[in-house]
Amino acid sequence: MKTVILIGVLGKMGQAALTGLGNHNVITAGRSGDVDHIVDITNEQSIRALYEKVGAFDAVVNTVGFCEYANFTEMTEAQWMTTVMSKMMGQINLVRIGQEYISDAGSFTLISGILNKKPIPYAIADATTSGAIDTFVKCVSLEMPRNMRINVVNPTVLVEAWDVYGEMMPGFEPVPGKLVGKAFERSVDGFINGEVIVVDA
């Protein structure tokens, strides 16, 4: 049994990840709500405080990354930076700071998203930062110290979230959260490293 920090557990993607982590001691974290620890991944001090409060842990699973949606011609720099600081730098900082605290041979699992492979209108910031995280994981896996591993789950839209996102994604086939949970399980419990685990119909 590993001690796993799961960030974003109260969201649909967090609940999906949780289905794949049943064999572990899961410590929950998020920006608000009924979680073990409050954390804001856009704030370095908040990330460091989370790791220090948890103490010993073997894996970090992140399922959050806020993105602004707008037409490219109308999107402001502030909207871009909101997305970059959460979906991209927030996740990079989880790893950059976390590698100081995580156990030897620990693992990080990040989240990207299918829109960098199948773009839709208004989602340019999401697609761009998802692509950046996919690239970050593939490259940084070659530099991780102490036998650490890192992977990223790149899922399509969830069945459980189709009522929210379905109208934006015509022609997409949603997948059940439990299937996405298996991808998180592969990352945490397997030996793969530097992989983009695509979950698509």
Side-chain angles (χ1 to χ4, degrees):
M1 178 182 287
K2 298 176 181 178
T3 296
V4 180
I5 301 174
L6 173 55
I7 302 170
V9 66
L10 299 181
K12 294 287 197 301
M13 196 61 67
Q15 288 295 296
L18 189 61
T19 66
L21 301 174
N23 294 327
H24 301 299
N25 172 34
V26 178
I27 296 172
T28 61
R31 288 193 68 165
S32 60
D34 185 15
V35 292
D36 297 325
H37 298 280
I38 298 296
V39 66
D40 176 1
I41 70 167
T42 68
N43 183 294
E44 291 186 48
Q45 288 73 31
S46 181
I47 293 171
R48 193 170 292 277
L50 168 67
Y51 291 143
E52 290 181 351
K53 288 174 187 173
V54 171
F57 59 95
D58 305 296
V60 176
V61 173
N62 181 62
T63 64
V64 298
F66 179 78
C67 298
E68 292 275 5
Y69 287 80
N71 189 296
F72 171 69
T73 60
E74 299 169 358
M75 183 168 268
T76 65
E77 182 181 28
Q79 288 176 303
W80 271 104
M81 289 308 298
T82 295
T83 306
V84 167
M85 292 309 296
S86 182
K87 186 79 177 266
M88 189 179 86
M89 283 311 305
Q91 296 201 88
I92 290 172
N93 283 334
L94 283 173
V95 179
R96 184 177 63 84
I97 298 169
Q99 55 91 20
E100 301 174 21
Y101 295 89
I102 199 167
S103 301
D104 288 353
S107 72
F108 294 88
T109 307
L110 306 183
I111 187 80
S112 59
I114 206 68
L115 299 183
N116 71 318
K117 300 178 182 299
K118 296 181 176 180
I120 63 171
Y122 305 106
I124 186 65
D126 188 342
T128 301
T129 50
S130 288
I133 289 298
D134 284 356
T135 299
F136 168 72
V137 164
K138 285 187 283 188
C139 295
V140 81
S141 67
L142 304 172
E143 299 187 37
M144 296 296 284
R146 297 189 286 117
N147 294 316
M148 294 174 201
R149 298 182 300 108
I150 182 169
N151 300 294
V152 55
V153 175
N154 182 320
T156 190
V157 62
L158 298 176
V159 168
E160 293 83 353
W162 186 248
D163 59 333
V164 177
Y165 297 106
E167 192 173 334
M168 296 172 57
M169 304 176 74
F172 282 71
E173 182 69 29
V175 296
K178 190 173 181 180
L179 184 62
V180 176
K182 292 293 184 185
F184 284 99
E185 184 179 3
R186 278 185 62 208
S187 179
V188 173
D189 291 342
F191 70 168
I192 59 173
N193 186 29
E195 294 292 325
V196 178
I197 309 171
V198 177
V199 186
D200 196 10

